Amino acid sequence: MQPADPFTLEAQDWRVKIDAACGGLISECRWRGLEILSTAKAGVWPAAAHAGCFPLVPFSNRIRDAAFSFAGNDVSLLVPEFAMPHALHGLGWRSPWTLQNPSAGEVIWTQTNAEGAWPWPYEARQRLAVAGPRLTLTIEIENTGTGPMPAGIGLHPYFPRRPDLEISIRAGGVWQTDASNPGIPTRWSARDPDADIFTGKHPDSVDLDHCFTGWNRTARLDYRDTKLRIDLSANETLSNIIVYCPPDRNVLCLEPVSHVNNAANLSQLDPLQRMDSLEPGQRLSGTMIVSVSSAD
């Protein structure tokens, strides 16, 4: 199956559409007809869709000024015009992917990088499976080169943001940013790990584009009007979460990631906040689970 062929998985009350050609985007995700992820228009790339879920690979979020050093070598990256001067979200969301023989209840799609925009070769893979009210999405990167490679992964899901939404998520720390340079961390602040980020706050009353650390790898979204509950969880690899909830746009993203923003340029990070270094043949794998329920 070629990258241009979209695929729709329909199984066990789920309908999930994967647009591999457009950045490996999950463009639609519904359970019993209810919108679990915000639905994207057909044939739209992630940067313009602001919906669905796209892969973060081989790094998450921003790298300041699109430059860093690794193993004594200076690296310069391509910069999307809309993100200047920083590199943003890796390469996977701006590259075509290829579906690999999808079957009932499971689909795998891959993307290969032969150096170039990222100066190390790798293969990335997404695997989606549904079982009852649970959707499991795994993202993986493998170093296919002959030397060590820095690597990071994550997932960038957009959830419907409606007036009836209540959110629960806890974290033990947050990277503060400068308002003039959003997304680039300036200092880390501890938080009460038992304090909910959204306690007493509606999404429309906050302004967040921050990376939170020490989260317990669970989050809950309750849509009161439809009695839909979404429980989000992640494995230990995705030990940080970026919360993007701007006040002037109808957008909500809860992004489990393996490292913090600009980790490639930050020293003395906690091990759970760093980028990984993969030896040849080594893989980094992260899993996000979306569990849904409804009182209806």
Side-chain angles (χ1 to χ4, degrees):
M1 185 173 288
Q2 298 301 311
D5 297 328
F7 175 76
T8 300
L9 181 152
E10 294 187 276
Q12 302 186 51
D13 295 325
W14 291 91
R15 174 182 169 86
V16 184
K17 186 173 182 179
I18 296 163
D19 198 342
C22 290
L25 176 69
I26 297 174
S27 59
E28 180 181 347
C29 180
R30 296 179 182 271
W31 176 77
R32 296 183 178 176
L34 298 172
E35 195 176 41
I36 305 304
L37 298 176
S38 299
T39 303
K41 295 180 180 179
V44 177
W45 284 76
H50 302 297
C53 180
F54 64 81
L56 302 173
V57 64
F59 62 87
S60 161
N61 209 271
R62 289 163 177 79
I63 293 181
R64 183 167 194 149
D65 297 327
F68 68 100
S69 296
F70 179 78
N73 297 312
D74 293 332
V75 179
S76 296
L77 303 174
L78 297 177
V79 181
E81 289 186 6
F82 53 84
M84 293 182 67
H86 311 304
L88 179 68
H89 293 334
L91 305 182
W93 71 315
R94 304 178 71 204
S95 306
W97 294 58
T98 303
L99 289 164
Q100 305 289 334
N101 301 318
S103 60
E106 179 180 291
V107 59
I108 295 171
W109 57 117
T110 62
Q111 185 257 325
T112 300
N113 175 68
E115 303 184 19
W118 184 254
W120 298 274
Y122 67 78
E123 180 173 283
R125 173 179 296 195
Q126 295 185 77
R127 175 185 177 272
L128 183 147
V130 295
R134 175 178 291 190
L135 180 150
T136 301
L137 179 60
T138 296
I139 182 167
E140 181 178 271
I141 184 171
E142 178 181 354
N143 180 357
T144 57
T146 58
M149 176 187 80
I153 53 175
L155 293 161
H156 198 301
Y158 289 79
F159 294 97
R161 180 168 155 182
R162 301 199 298 260
D164 66 328
L165 173 61
E166 293 180 351
I167 307 171
S168 177
I169 180 171
R170 294 172 172 81
V174 60
W175 278 94
Q176 306 291 345
T177 63
D178 188 327
S180 64
N181 205 0
I184 299 297
T186 56
R187 66 190 185 282
W188 182 85
S189 298
R191 297 184 73 260
D192 179 352
D194 295 323
D196 199 300
I197 294 171
F198 285 90
T199 294
K201 301 174 184 176
H202 188 270
D204 291 344
S205 69
V206 301
D207 183 4
L208 289 172
D209 186 6
H210 294 74
C211 183
F212 290 85
T213 65
W215 75 306
N216 62 4
R217 304 201 308 277
T218 63
R220 172 167 287 176
L221 295 86
D222 280 306
Y223 296 89
R224 298 186 306 275
D225 291 352
T226 56
K227 297 182 174 59
L228 172 66
R229 171 170 288 176
I230 300 174
D231 284 302
L232 177 72
S233 61
N235 74 340
E236 60 276 5
T237 299
L238 305 179
S239 54
N240 310 279
I241 188 164
I242 297 167
V243 179
Y244 180 44
C245 188
D248 56 343
R249 297 176 60 191
N250 191 31
V251 170
L252 171 66
C253 300
L254 305 178
E255 310 159 34
V257 297
S258 66
H259 63 83
V260 302
N261 305 10
N262 196 35
N265 288 310
L266 298 177
S267 61
Q268 299 180 340
L269 285 174
D270 181 281
L272 295 178
Q273 300 181 34
R274 300 173 189 161
M275 287 188 73
D276 283 74
S277 179
L278 301 182
E279 296 297 325
Q282 190 174 6
R283 299 179 181 181
L284 180 67
S285 180
T287 296
M288 177 180 79
I289 297 173
V290 176
S291 299
V292 294
S293 62
S294 175
D296 293 343

